[in-house]
């Protein structure tokens, strides 16, 4: 309860919640009005954002191939930087709700096929032009275009048409979908002048910072945008900078030496070391991020489900959570959904390490010889541990370590057996539509299942929550038993802030406060 009160009081201090709303929520949590008012009085003094200074973050998952084109964003550094310069129609809140951004409000027809968004007036692009409904239409159209190869294409394919109607934008879907507001929070769907059709990688949007430095794989920076439409709430520092530091130990050293004021992706094995550094605060929160060992279902030898099943049963999940996550996470069950999602079914049988059954399916598959598994430098320990558990089932895993720089462009979704980590999404529909729908461009297990696709479409239109939950349950079992995903664990987000950094909000959607740490935080001294 104390964590929720702290979060709510910070929202009041930042102007994101009224005192009346806070008192109502606090009362519902069983807190007296007098105590709630005392929290607000103290928080107003302690949490009021200070303006100015340069705020720097050290982040991994940056590469020379990174782009400012929102359609191409797919890894940690460009995602985080986009939250500083880009602006969305709407965003998720840490408690799972919707926060309106460029869209001022949204409403649906009775059949939830037609959605109308009222576009906020007076929002300025970095180039001085005002955001118009036409810009919104063009932005959505670009991401729905096959040629854009947008990471949001999987969810945009459900849209039949987008048009401007006065100050509104009307979205008509091919079929009913009650989750459309959450789909619009996808980080790719940054609103750009003319949709970015003229220059998608220009880095121009309506976010709190204007891009001043863009050196992919090295560093990225921005200066405060003086005409940002909600500058009292986000964008407190005069400048922000991301320094790409792919090695986690080097990131820790950068924080210790005050080269940066915050770091993302703290590995569990160095958390205890960081806790002993004066002034450093560990910012960890559970969520829906999961670690993947991905097999292409349409590529030999992984087009044999017995082999896929053998490799799933050869995974010791408990050992992974204990030795790799050091307890900062939970076991997975070979589908991408956990208790962080609404309508999660917790009664699906948990897959456990079973070397005998793994050996049975391996022999049944007829495969022999080593199996090549490619991994990034960040997942080497996990792959080595996995190879050891596979050996107990008589399965030989050959590990090929690939450099982090270029991994997402050269290995992920191109090689038939590799590791990767996925951020969660706002809803089950968004997760499945982005990565497991047959037509999704980011279908990184090459999973093509007609029954699964039909269930996904059916679930979108189902208004009865119990029936919808059962549909998601059936889909999860299909992915678990027939898919190419081995998901041994869901990891917590672990970040760290240095002395004087205030305003960090633990957001289960993703690390670094769902990418908004540089925009939400300020320097107290």
């Amino acid at each position: 309860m104390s964590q929720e009160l702290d979060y709510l009081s910070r929202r009041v201090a930042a102007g994101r919640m009224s005192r009346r709303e806070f008192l109502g929520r606090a009362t519902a949590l069983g807190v007296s009005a007098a105590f709630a008012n005392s929290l607000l009085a103290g928080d107003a003094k302690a949490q009021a954002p200070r303006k100015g200074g340069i705020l720097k973050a050290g982040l991994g998952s940056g590469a020379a191939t990174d782009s400012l084109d929102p359609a191409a964003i797919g890894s940690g550094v460009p995602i985080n930087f986009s939250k500083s310069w880009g602006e969305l129609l709407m965003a998720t809140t840490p408690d799972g709700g919707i926060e309106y951004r460029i869209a001022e409000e949204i409403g649906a027809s009775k059949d939830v096929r037609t959605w109308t968004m009222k576009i906020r007036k007076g929002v300025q692009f970095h180039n001085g032009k005002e955001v118009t409904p036409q810009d919104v239409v063009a932005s959505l159209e670009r991401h729905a275009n096959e040629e854009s190869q947008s990471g949001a294409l999987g969810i945009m394919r459900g849209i039949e048409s987008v048009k401007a109607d006065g100050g509104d934008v009307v979205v008509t879907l091919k079929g009913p979908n009650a989750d459309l507001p959450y789909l619009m929070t996808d980080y790719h769907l940054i609103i750009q002048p003319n949709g970015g059709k003229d220059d998608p990688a220009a880095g121009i949007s309506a976010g709190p910072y204007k891009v001043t430095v863009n050196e992919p794989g090295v560093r990225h920076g921005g200066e405060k945008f003086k005409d940002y439409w909600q500058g009292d709430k986000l964008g407190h520092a005069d400048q922000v900078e991301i320094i790409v530091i792919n090695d986690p130990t080097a990131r820790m050293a950068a924080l210790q030496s005050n080269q940066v004021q915050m770091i993302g992706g703290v590995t569990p094995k160095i958390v205890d070391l960081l806790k002993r550094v004066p002034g450093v605060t560990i910012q960890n929160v559970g969520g829906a991020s999961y670690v993947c060992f991905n097999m292409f279902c349409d590529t030999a030898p992984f087009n044999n489900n017995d082999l896929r099943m053998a490799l799933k049963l050869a995974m010791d999940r408990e050992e992974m959570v204990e030795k790799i996550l050091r307890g900062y996470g939970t076991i997975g069950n070979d589908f991408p959904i956990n208790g962080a999602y609404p309508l999660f079914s917790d009664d699906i049988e948990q897959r456990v390490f079973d070397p005998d059954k793994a050996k049975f399916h391996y022999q049944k598959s007829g495969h022999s010889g080593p199996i090549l598994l490619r991994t990034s430098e960040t997942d080497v320990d996990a792959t080595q541990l996995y190879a050891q558990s596979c050996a107990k089932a008589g399965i030989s895993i050959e590990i090929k370590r690939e450099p982090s720089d270029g991994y997402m462009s050269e290995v992920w979704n191109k090689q038939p057996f590799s590791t990767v980590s996925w951020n969660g999404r706002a809803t089950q529909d968004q997760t499945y539509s982005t990565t497991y729908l047959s037509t999704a461009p980011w279908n990184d297990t090459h999973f093509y299942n007609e029954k699964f696709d039909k269930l996904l479409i059916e679930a979108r239109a189902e208004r009865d929550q119990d029936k919808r939950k059962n549909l998601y349950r059936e889909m999860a079992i299909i992915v678990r038993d027939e898919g190419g995903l081995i998901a041994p664990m869901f990891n917590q987000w672990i970040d760290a802030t240095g002395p004087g950094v205030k305003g960090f909000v633990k957001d289960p959607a993703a690390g670094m406060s769902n990418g908004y740490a540089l925009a939400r935080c300020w320097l107290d001294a």
Side-chain angles (χ1 to χ4, degrees):
M1 182 176 71
S2 62
Q3 184 177 7
E4 185 167 355
L5 283 173
D6 181 57
Y7 163 66
L8 294 175
S9 64
R10 287 200 304 268
R11 285 181 65 82
V12 176
R16 294 175 178 275
M17 177 180 284
S18 69
R19 290 177 64 91
R20 177 177 292 181
E21 288 174 313
F22 173 82
L23 293 173
R25 295 281 289 274
T27 301
L29 290 170
V31 175
S32 69
F35 182 67
N37 274 304
S38 71
L39 287 176
L40 286 181
D43 203 63
K45 296 177 182 178
Q47 297 293 334
R50 293 187 62 172
K51 304 296 183 178
I54 303 175
L55 191 57
K56 298 182 180 182
L59 302 179
S61 297
T65 53
D66 290 339
S67 171
L68 291 182
D69 179 0
I73 292 173
S75 58
V77 168
I79 291 174
N80 277 269
F81 191 42
S82 75
K83 300 294 181 76
S84 291
W85 66 265
E87 189 63 290
L88 303 168
L89 287 164
M90 52 198 75
T92 57
T93 61
D95 59 359
I98 290 289
E99 177 183 312
Y100 294 113
R101 296 288 183 87
I102 288 177
E104 196 169 27
E105 60 183 56
I106 186 170
S109 59
K110 289 184 178 180
D111 63 357
V112 290
R113 275 199 65 205
T114 302
W115 292 80
T116 302
M117 294 181 284
K118 182 180 179 181
I119 303 306
R120 192 181 304 274
K121 295 181 179 179
V123 177
Q124 299 291 316
F125 282 124
H126 299 148
N127 62 6
K129 296 181 179 179
E130 183 171 340
V131 178
T132 67
Q134 288 74 23
D135 293 311
V136 173
V137 170
S139 296
L140 296 180
E141 284 179 342
R142 189 172 79 86
H143 289 280
N145 189 324
E146 299 281 346
E147 294 181 1
S148 73
Q149 298 183 328
S150 172
L153 188 57
I155 61 175
M156 298 301 290
R157 284 193 172 120
I159 294 177
E160 184 175 277
S161 66
V162 184
K163 65 178 182 179
D165 181 12
D168 299 335
V169 169
V170 180
V171 178
T172 303
L173 306 178
K174 295 176 181 177
N177 192 339
D179 285 345
L180 183 80
Y182 285 96
L183 300 186
M184 292 295 100
T185 69
D186 188 288
Y187 58 78
H188 299 94
L189 301 180
I190 290 172
I191 304 306
Q192 297 176 278
N194 194 30
K197 294 179 180 180
D198 303 316
D199 187 358
I204 296 175
S205 183
Y209 291 96
K210 295 174 63 174
V211 176
T212 55
V213 178
N214 180 43
E215 300 175 16
V218 182
R219 67 190 185 109
H220 306 270
E223 64 180 14
K224 185 176 177 63
F225 178 39
K226 63 181 180 63
D227 292 322
Y228 180 51
W229 70 278
Q230 54 172 357
D232 57 327
K233 299 178 181 179
L234 294 173
H236 306 297
D238 290 333
Q239 298 178 49
V240 294
E241 183 176 355
I242 293 175
I243 300 175
V244 179
I245 311 173
N246 287 324
D247 180 76
T249 304
R251 286 199 298 276
M252 181 179 73
L255 183 65
Q256 287 179 285
S257 63
N258 204 35
Q259 181 184 356
V260 298
Q261 287 84 40
M262 58 178 70
I263 59 173
V266 176
T267 57
K269 64 183 179 182
I270 65 173
V271 170
D272 289 340
L273 293 174
L274 265 180
K275 284 181 177 178
R276 296 197 288 267
V277 178
V280 168
T281 302
I282 300 297
Q283 310 282 5
N284 64 294
V285 62
S289 173
Y290 59 104
V291 177
C292 312
F293 290 68
N294 283 337
M295 303 171 282
F296 284 179
C297 296
D298 62 350
T299 303
F302 309 105
N303 55 353
N304 184 310
N305 198 38
D306 278 300
L307 181 64
R308 297 199 300 271
M309 185 59 68
L311 291 168
K312 293 173 183 179
L313 290 165
M315 175 66 74
D316 192 334
R317 299 154 206 277
E318 298 281 0
E319 186 179 42
M320 281 280 179
V321 172
E322 177 187 353
K323 294 184 178 180
I324 302 301
L325 298 184
R326 309 291 178 98
Y328 287 94
T330 57
I331 60 173
N333 202 15
D334 297 339
F335 60 95
I337 306 299
N338 67 353
Y341 287 91
L343 307 181
F344 170 70
S345 294
D346 59 5
D347 61 343
I348 298 175
E349 182 182 0
Q350 176 63 53
R351 180 162 288 142
V352 298
F353 177 50
D354 192 329
D356 291 333
K357 282 187 178 179
K359 184 179 294 184
F360 167 78
H361 284 283
Y362 182 67
Q363 292 175 345
K364 188 178 177 183
S365 75
H367 182 79
S368 62
I371 297 173
L372 180 62
L373 170 60
R374 288 177 168 84
T375 185
S376 68
E377 295 170 351
T378 56
D379 291 327
V380 169
D381 290 345
T383 54
Q384 289 176 341
L385 192 62
Y386 178 52
Q388 293 171 17
S389 66
C390 282
K392 296 176 183 177
I395 303 172
S396 175
I397 299 293
E398 178 186 344
I399 298 172
K400 184 174 182 181
R401 181 172 177 169
E402 303 278 5
S404 295
D405 193 335
Y407 187 85
M408 296 302 292
S409 59
E410 301 300 326
V411 178
W412 172 75
N413 210 11
K414 290 187 177 180
Q415 298 297 337
F417 194 24
S418 65
T419 63
V420 74
S421 291
W422 266 96
N423 293 356
R425 293 297 191 268
T427 65
Q428 293 198 42
D429 177 77
Q430 189 178 8
T431 294
Y432 284 130
S433 297
T434 300
T435 325
Y436 299 94
L437 184 67
S438 294
T439 56
W442 282 8
N443 181 354
D444 57 3
T445 55
H446 292 201
F447 176 64
Y448 309 113
N449 188 293
E450 185 176 350
K451 182 179 180 181
F452 174 88
D453 293 348
K454 289 180 178 179
L455 288 169
L456 179 59
I457 303 303
E458 183 180 350
R460 289 176 182 169
E462 182 54 66
R463 306 294 292 273
D464 185 293
Q465 295 300 290
D466 289 335
K467 292 180 179 178
R468 199 178 194 198
K469 181 177 180 178
N470 287 332
L471 291 170
Y472 285 140
R473 183 183 188 278
E474 190 174 353
M475 290 159 56
I477 292 173
I478 291 173
V479 172
R480 174 184 181 272
D481 294 342
E482 301 177 36
L485 169 67
I486 306 173
M489 51 192 172
F490 287 84
N491 58 282
Q492 290 188 17
W493 299 108
I494 311 175
D495 306 309
T497 53
V501 175
K502 303 295 182 182
F504 192 99
V505 177
K506 294 183 179 182
D507 194 325
M512 293 297 287
S513 197
N514 192 19
Y516 287 108
L518 288 171
R520 284 172 169 164
C521 292
W522 63 90
L523 294 170
D524 195 41

